[in-house]
Amino acid sequence: MPIDHGARVRTKDGHQAGHVKNAIWDQNGKKITEYVIATGGLLGHDVIVSPELLERAARAGNEIVLNITKRELDELAHYESADYTTPPADWIAPTVSGFPAGGHLFPVTESETAQIAGTPPPTDEASRESEVAGRERKT
């Protein structure tokens, strides 16, 4: 069952859970690995759900009804924006995804994390050995 951006979501115990906010793709941009549900409200937070949880859900009109309770929803992993980034500029989203350009996310890689911290990642074994040797000479 296709999942659309903005689709309303509720839990099996009848609570409004929010809406589908983002699709998270694998590193290769070939497969959706997770979705972000914006739970909204004053104390709301965004949670990460598996595609299986949404795709197996029942439909009630234009709502997706998750087979979990509100309490179970609240216990799901929280979405942390620092763990995700926008897709590469040359990536083209599949037209069947149902999400606008801003609705796609990719996981942040270790090399991106190192670049943010100001340390470029070693590219091969020789580079790593050279970097380690350089640090040992400085001490």
Side-chain angles (χ1 to χ4, degrees):
M1 160 176 52
I3 305 300
D4 293 327
H5 180 262
R8 293 186 323 178
V9 180
R10 68 178 163 96
T11 58
K12 70 179 182 181
D13 54 353
H15 291 275
Q16 292 300 319
H19 67 276
V20 179
K21 181 177 177 181
N22 296 100
I24 300 172
W25 294 79
D26 66 5
Q27 288 295 332
N28 300 318
K30 304 285 185 202
K31 178 181 172 190
I32 295 174
T33 58
E34 302 170 311
Y35 289 95
V36 178
I37 304 295
T39 62
L42 183 60
L43 300 175
H45 58 277
D46 296 345
V47 295
I48 303 290
V49 300
S50 70
E52 296 79 22
L53 187 61
L54 285 178
E55 291 166 0
R56 291 185 197 154
R59 294 282 182 147
N62 62 351
E63 283 188 323
I64 298 170
V65 183
L66 300 176
N67 194 26
I68 60 173
T69 64
K70 179 168 178 0
R71 183 171 187 230
E72 291 169 321
L73 179 76
D74 291 341
E75 292 172 359
L76 292 176
H78 286 213
Y79 164 75
E80 300 292 337
S81 62
D83 294 338
Y84 302 94
T85 187
T86 57
D90 60 344
W91 181 73
I92 299 172
T95 56
V96 296
S97 72
F99 284 78
H104 303 283
L105 296 172
F106 277 44
V108 171
T109 64
E110 288 182 32
S111 62
E112 291 169 325
T113 304
Q115 289 172 358
I116 291 169
T119 308
T123 56
D124 59 17
E125 190 61 34
S127 297
R128 284 191 276 278
E129 289 174 2
S130 174
E131 183 180 332
V132 169
R135 278 191 239 134
E136 290 173 351
R137 278 181 265 155
K138 290 180 184 175
T139 55

